[in-house]
Amino acid sequence: MGEDLSGGDLSRLRQLNALAVIKALQGRPSLTLTEVAKRTGLSRASAEDVVRELLQKGWVAEAGATAGGVGRPARRYRFRADAGRVLGVDIGGHKIRAVVADLDGNVGERASVPVTPEMGRPERLEAVDAAVAACLEGAGLAAGDVWAAGVGTTGLVDGSGRVMLSEALPEWTGVDLAAHVRRLVPGPVLVENDSKLAARAECWRGVARYAKDMVFLLAGLRTGAGLVIDGKVHRGFANASGEVGALPALGWIRAQEHLKAASGEAGDVFAAARAGERAAVTAVRRYVRDLALGVSALVLALDPQMVVVGGGYSRSADVLIEPLKRELDRWCIRTPEVLMSALGDEAVVLGAVRIALDDVEDRLLDGRTPLVSHL
Amino acid sequence: MGEDLSGGDLSRLRQLNALAVIKALQGRPSLTLTEVAKRTGLSRASAEDVVRELLQKGWVAEAGATAGGVGRPARRYRFRADAGRVLGVDIGGHKIRAVVADLDGNVGERASVPVTPEMGRPERLEAVDAAVAACLEGAGLAAGDVWAAGVGTTGLVDGSGRVMLSEALPEWTGVDLAAHVRRLVPGPVLVENDSKLAARAECWRGVARYAKDMVFLLAGLRTGAGLVIDGKVHRGFANASGEVGALPALGWIRAQEHLKAASGEAGDVFAAARAGERAAVTAVRRYVRDLALGVSALVLALDPQMVVVGGGYSRSADVLIEPLKRELDRWCIRTPEVLMSALGDEAVVLGAVRIALDDVEDRLLDGRTPLVSHL
């Protein structure tokens, strides 16, 4: 070393110090300057400089001062999670959901618009527009207030946010979702497959918070999977991981048919099975047997710590989880924990919020979003 | 900072500087002190200190001096890859292999002892002893010269080096291989499943050197898989990953049967198929069809960049690879590259060498093996 820091280096150092202060404040009600200095390793004078600039920029606010003790109470500061907002969207077969969350990921506003699996592309995209508009209006926000948007959809999604392949929705293959949503909000738009987003959400706020390796099973009108390996959602070479459902031998293609055969609405079959109706009990047993083949293949391949069951059918966990465990015991060398999702219907949209926040944090980390003034 | 470094800090710093010098020298014929300083960022005086101590300790040797130019030619130094040795052992159904390699992973000596799949535990362990003894003798080494040993075996291996489960070899379940090999050589003994080691070797010196995600298929008298995810061998929660063969729907259990039915020795079937014999052609086609089910499940689950085919049958790649690709095309959303292993029969034992070297490097990195004198 021994050389002077360049302007770029100094600017980077200030950004890192500012980020350290924000990380220290996040998830805590408030800190004094002395506490900020202690938690960041900055000198008290540097901490004061950084906090002053973050106050000016709106990232930090003053909180109520500490009473008690002798002398003037110390000023306290808090992170302004409301300094920015992100948008999460979940494009499902039956519902479009949109939520707005603050920088701590707290969801402030929700909106949803009903759709049908049969609906064509223009109608579904209109429903997306309507859900986003309703959500922003409910939150009292303009489009420009949104820093980043995460979007979840059924189907395979490429790196540019286009749907490469959708079996479930007609006219959905080829839709450029990133481009569409970018017309609605100005910030970056991240698009991802719904099972992968639900897996991400389970690791963030769900039952898989402490899991390193996890298989997320989306059990609903469609069956899908999202894999978490070494704490990260595994995407694969072309973002096509988790697609064991494509292999007929693994049962997912025919799993649905058993439920359809037994009754009109899937919810009814589970209720009927719960009540002991014979045809429904048989249908659910066959469904679980087919479901378990694909799950067993994933478990045998990865040997995960746990399987998390989410999606619409996870509401019927009482008639699904135990039979699923018994089937896994038949095939697996080591049956992992099988847990029901704690996030229910919101897993995908929460995962969408999370990838939007990841993008915001990446841009702070590499300085693309300056926290403090550049030199 | 501004505080004095503690003795522990200084000792750690010297170790890191010494490691940096070794890393700079490794994989190059030789460097001058000026070049060492340039590549490590150390001052020339510090580089000289470190090199002097590494010379004393035997990690570095003088190489021929550079001629040409005016004045005295600069002294050159090289890493002594022969400063230490590691042992690699592959315990197969038909052969026990042992190799000795230097710290650059160059194999210097090989020995092998024939065994049979039917052989019981004591006889197989005796064959391990014989192979290791022959290899050390051939290399002119005493047991104490071995710094670490890597051992590959069929079956599931637990974290302590015990075989948890072996379908292929009788009396092999429960054998404490780490303890057994530790009686032969004094250093650390690392035991791992053979498919995982072959996968590791392919990423080190094989066709998967630049792959992030890879499925290794062990195709031989047994069928197995090793997964590389994000550049690392994926072990799973209880080291039981890659075991899709346990699921009957995925065909690996019955795949062998087609070959056995067509002829006595598998090698013959492939030769006969190559020659166009009808029964053999049918047998190989059925074998590949069943093999492809399990591989497709792994490919659909992980979406890897490539599949590498190794094991005994990879010698018959000419009648296997193209049919396997065609079968994968039937089931996979995206068929990855399918490549034949370039390491052949040595993949497992090279993987065993690699995990032994990993252990040596870990101990250098965290200071358990001091490179230079402690304070």
Side-chain angles (χ1 to χ4, degrees), chain A residues 87-92 96-98 125 128 132 148-155 157 161 163 172 175-182 184-185 188-198 235 239 348-356:
Chain A
L87 176 72
V89 181
D90 169 14
I91 304 175
I96 313 286
R97 287 166 204 277
L125 288 175
V128 170
V132 170
V151 181
T153 175
T154 176
V157 179
V163 177
W172 207 236
V175 63
D176 189 343
L177 270 180
H180 183 84
V181 176
R182 217 173 278 128
L184 308 177
V185 289
V189 175
L190 299 310
V191 185
E192 184 55 284
N193 164 270
D194 50 5
S195 298
K196 292 189 180 74
L197 287 184
R235 308 179 94 236
N239 205 17
V348 177
V349 84
L350 278 178
V353 163
R354 186 60 252 175
I355 59 168

Side-chain angles (χ1 to χ4, degrees), chain A residues 161-365:
Chain A
R162 188 186 294 266
V163 177
M164 288 186 287
L165 180 71
S166 166
E167 304 278 1
L169 303 179
E171 304 174 29
W172 207 236
T173 296
V175 63
D176 189 343
L177 270 180
H180 183 84
V181 176
R182 217 173 278 128
R183 295 187 309 110
L184 308 177
V185 289
V189 175
L190 299 310
V191 185
E192 184 55 284
N193 164 270
D194 50 5
S195 298
K196 292 189 180 74
L197 287 184
R200 180 77 179 85
E202 292 296 340
C203 292
W204 177 37
R205 301 219 153 155
V207 293
R209 252 166 300 178
Y210 306 105
K212 228 173 109 249
D213 301 327
M214 184 268 275
V215 167
F216 176 82
L217 174 69
L218 187 83
L221 290 170
R222 285 177 320 99
T223 311
L227 313 178
V228 172
I229 298 174
D230 219 4
K232 289 191 301 193
V233 173
H234 177 71
R235 308 179 94 236
F237 190 67
N239 205 17
S241 65
E243 297 289 335
V244 292
L247 195 64
L250 292 176
W252 286 6
I253 295 168
R254 66 175 179 262
Q256 272 330 309
E257 303 304 320
H258 305 302
L259 300 179
K260 280 189 198 149
S263 111
E265 267 276 317
D268 300 348
V269 188
F270 295 119
R274 196 175 290 120
E277 274 180 42
R278 226 170 116 186
V281 169
T282 305
V284 170
R285 194 177 59 230
R286 288 181 178 158
Y287 167 71
V288 169
R289 208 165 51 196
D290 280 339
L291 198 66
L293 282 177
V295 178
S296 295
L298 290 169
V299 166
L300 285 164
L302 295 171
D303 186 25
Q305 188 176 345
M306 61 174 71
V307 172
V308 177
V309 183
Y313 296 173
S314 63
R315 271 167 299 185
S316 305
D318 58 321
V319 290
L320 283 179
I321 299 283
E322 284 307 317
L324 180 60
K325 276 189 202 168
R326 280 197 298 275
E327 284 291 313
L328 294 183
D329 278 338
R330 280 178 71 186
W331 306 122
C332 296
I333 292 174
R334 191 189 67 79
T335 304
E337 269 191 285
V338 180
L339 299 172
M340 189 181 60
S341 163
L343 303 173
D345 289 346
E346 288 221 320
V348 177
V349 84
L350 278 178
V353 163
R354 186 60 252 175
I355 59 168
L357 288 172
D358 289 343
D359 188 77
V360 168
E361 291 178 7
D362 285 349
R363 281 182 290 150
L364 291 173
L365 206 62

Side-chain angles (χ1 to χ4, degrees), chain A residues 156 165 213 227 229-230 232 234-250 292-294 296-305 331-334, chain B residues 156 165 213 227 229-230 232 234-250 292-294 296-305 331-334:
Chain A
L156 292 176
L165 180 71
D213 301 327
L227 313 178
I229 298 174
D230 219 4
K232 289 191 301 193
H234 177 71
R235 308 179 94 236
F237 190 67
N239 205 17
S241 65
E243 297 289 335
V244 292
L247 195 64
L250 292 176
L293 282 177
S296 295
L298 290 169
V299 166
L300 285 164
L302 295 171
D303 186 25
Q305 188 176 345
W331 306 122
C332 296
I333 292 174
R334 191 189 67 79
Chain B
L156 293 176
L165 179 71
D213 300 327
L227 313 177
I229 299 173
D230 219 3
K232 288 191 303 193
H234 177 72
R235 307 178 95 237
F237 190 67
N239 204 17
S241 64
E243 297 290 334
V244 292
L247 196 64
L250 291 177
L293 283 176
S296 295
L298 289 169
V299 166
L300 286 164
L302 295 171
D303 187 24
Q305 188 177 343
W331 306 123
C332 295
I333 292 175
R334 189 188 69 79

Side-chain angles (χ1 to χ4, degrees), chain B residues 25-103:
Chain B
L25 290 172
Q26 260 183 321
R28 293 196 178 84
S30 64
L31 293 178
T32 63
L33 277 181
T34 309
E35 288 164 345
V36 168
K38 196 174 152 197
R39 287 182 187 278
T40 55
L42 294 170
S43 71
R44 200 176 174 290
S46 299
E48 194 168 357
D49 277 353
V50 173
V51 167
R52 191 188 313 120
E53 209 157 3
L54 288 172
L55 272 165
Q56 269 171 25
K57 294 269 170 184
W59 290 95
V60 161
E62 279 200 48
T66 314
V70 286
R72 197 159 53 93
R75 280 204 184 128
R76 303 190 68 86
Y77 300 92
R78 66 175 175 84
F79 173 59
R80 280 192 56 200
D82 59 349
R85 291 291 196 292
V86 298
L87 175 73
V89 181
D90 169 14
I91 304 175
H94 294 266
K95 204 181 255 187
I96 313 288
R97 285 167 203 277
V99 304
V100 162
D102 68 17
L103 298 180

